[in-house]
Amino acid sequence: MKVIIYVYDGITMLDAIGPYEVLRNMDDTEVYFVAEKRGEIKADSGFVDINVKYSIDEMESADILVIPGSTIGFMKEMKNNRVLKWIKEVDKTTSWTTSVCTGSMLLAAAGLLAGLKATSHWKPINLLSEYGAVPVRERIVEQEKYITAAGVSAGIDMALYLASKIVGEEETKAIQLAIEYDPQPIFDAGNYSNVEEKIKNIAGAKLTKDAKKGIGLLGMIKHSKSILKMMK
């Protein structure tokens, strides 16, 4: 089975690495990190890089396509017609097309989620409606062959859910044990619907700060107003 994880500058690293650690453990599976061009891809933190060995020109098909999210990098990718065209072409070959966090915005911008329910990170989720998708605040949303996951850590859950559909419950449980995925958060503050308003405001401020840093990192000056408006 061939899995493509598309990566781009400004990516949130766990969005890609979380699903990778799950899906690579499925038998007879090869996972490829693919970018628009070969070379170094910088994470949104500015501290981590990936040396990508494959470009979109070299990868035209996949059984599974994973589109990770980012703090603001997704805004630039949503306007990259070359990438959106590639996503649509690869999607024609997939059994499953998936996303994590704001990666669903790329699927929506490519026209793949029109009329379908989808989720994303809690902050920009309503942007999905601008591209014809129906935003829902759920951890994982499956619609036809499209599986979208909420923010960052939800990518691990999405990949386990997908693995269970492909290789069954027993092997998926073994994969979960292999990566010792046994979440026991110290606080019950990971769900937007359950957390108090004060915590939402603090988290929102942190995201806005990251967005401002990312604008400089990615040189996204012309998109800065819309980005900061989204992050308010």
Side-chain angles (χ1 to χ4, degrees), residues 5-19 33 41-45 50 65-78 87 98-107 119-121 124 147-156 158 207 218 230:
I5 301 177
Y6 176 69
V7 294
Y8 51 95
D9 279 330
I11 192 174
T12 299
M13 196 59 66
L14 187 58
D15 285 13
I17 299 302
F33 288 95
I41 293 295
K42 292 184 177 297
D44 53 5
S45 66
I50 303 178
L65 175 63
V66 181
I67 308 293
S70 56
T71 305
I72 63 166
F74 72 95
M75 298 283 287
K76 191 172 184 178
E77 295 300 302
M78 287 170 68
I87 289 174
T98 72
S99 67
V100 183
C101 194
T102 52
S104 58
M105 304 298 176
L106 273 68
L107 298 183
T119 191
S120 187
H121 189 279
I147 304 178
T148 56
V152 194
S153 64
I156 299 174
M158 180 277 291
L207 291 167
L218 300 176
M230 173 196 73

Side-chain angles (χ1 to χ4, degrees), residues 74-127:
F74 72 95
M75 298 283 287
K76 191 172 184 178
E77 295 300 302
M78 287 170 68
K79 299 178 184 298
N80 189 330
N81 290 328
R82 183 167 180 261
V83 168
L84 296 182
K85 181 180 179 181
W86 174 79
I87 289 174
K88 286 191 286 188
E89 290 302 312
V90 174
D91 176 70
K92 292 177 182 178
T93 73
T94 64
S95 297
W96 298 98
T97 297
T98 72
S99 67
V100 183
C101 194
T102 52
S104 58
M105 304 298 176
L106 273 68
L107 298 183
L112 300 178
L113 300 181
L116 301 180
K117 294 179 181 179
T119 191
S120 187
H121 189 279
W122 60 268
K123 192 68 172 174
I125 188 172
N126 289 328
L127 282 177

Side-chain angles (χ1 to χ4, degrees), residues 12-207:
T12 299
M13 196 59 66
L14 187 58
D15 285 13
I17 299 302
Y20 163 77
E21 287 294 346
V22 173
L23 299 176
R24 76 177 183 87
N25 276 291
M26 295 194 304
D27 290 341
D28 302 316
T29 297
E30 294 289 336
V31 182
Y32 300 88
F33 288 95
V34 179
E36 184 178 8
K37 298 178 181 178
R38 292 186 187 184
E40 184 181 86
I41 293 295
K42 292 184 177 297
D44 53 5
S45 66
F47 294 108
V48 183
D49 304 328
I50 303 178
N51 184 22
V52 181
K53 298 178 180 179
Y54 302 96
S55 74
I56 59 176
D57 295 323
E58 300 170 279
M59 293 285 177
E60 299 178 346
S61 64
D63 298 294
I64 299 170
L65 175 63
V66 181
I67 308 293
S70 56
T71 305
I72 63 166
F74 72 95
M75 298 283 287
K76 191 172 184 178
E77 295 300 302
M78 287 170 68
K79 299 178 184 298
N80 189 330
N81 290 328
R82 183 167 180 261
V83 168
L84 296 182
K85 181 180 179 181
W86 174 79
I87 289 174
K88 286 191 286 188
E89 290 302 312
V90 174
D91 176 70
K92 292 177 182 178
T93 73
T94 64
S95 297
W96 298 98
T97 297
T98 72
S99 67
V100 183
C101 194
T102 52
S104 58
M105 304 298 176
L106 273 68
L107 298 183
L112 300 178
L113 300 181
L116 301 180
K117 294 179 181 179
T119 191
S120 187
H121 189 279
W122 60 268
K123 192 68 172 174
I125 188 172
N126 289 328
L127 282 177
L128 286 168
S129 61
E130 296 184 15
Y131 295 88
V134 181
V136 291
R137 293 188 184 277
E138 296 180 13
R139 185 78 167 167
I140 300 169
V141 176
E142 179 185 358
Q143 294 273 272
E144 300 174 359
K145 71 170 185 175
Y146 301 100
I147 304 178
T148 56
V152 194
S153 64
I156 299 174
D157 293 338
M158 180 277 291
L160 287 168
Y161 176 78
L162 177 57
S164 71
K165 298 180 77 68
I166 296 171
V167 300
E169 181 176 327
E170 187 174 83
E171 185 174 340
T172 301
K173 286 181 176 179
I175 293 171
Q176 182 174 346
L177 179 59
I179 65 172
E180 202 165 356
Y181 180 58
D182 183 26
Q184 299 178 45
I186 188 170
F187 299 114
D188 183 18
N191 189 313
Y192 180 86
S193 301
N194 298 338
V195 76
E196 59 199 270
E197 198 65 29
K198 179 180 179 180
I199 303 303
K200 293 177 184 177
N201 292 336
I202 295 172
K206 289 181 179 294
L207 291 167

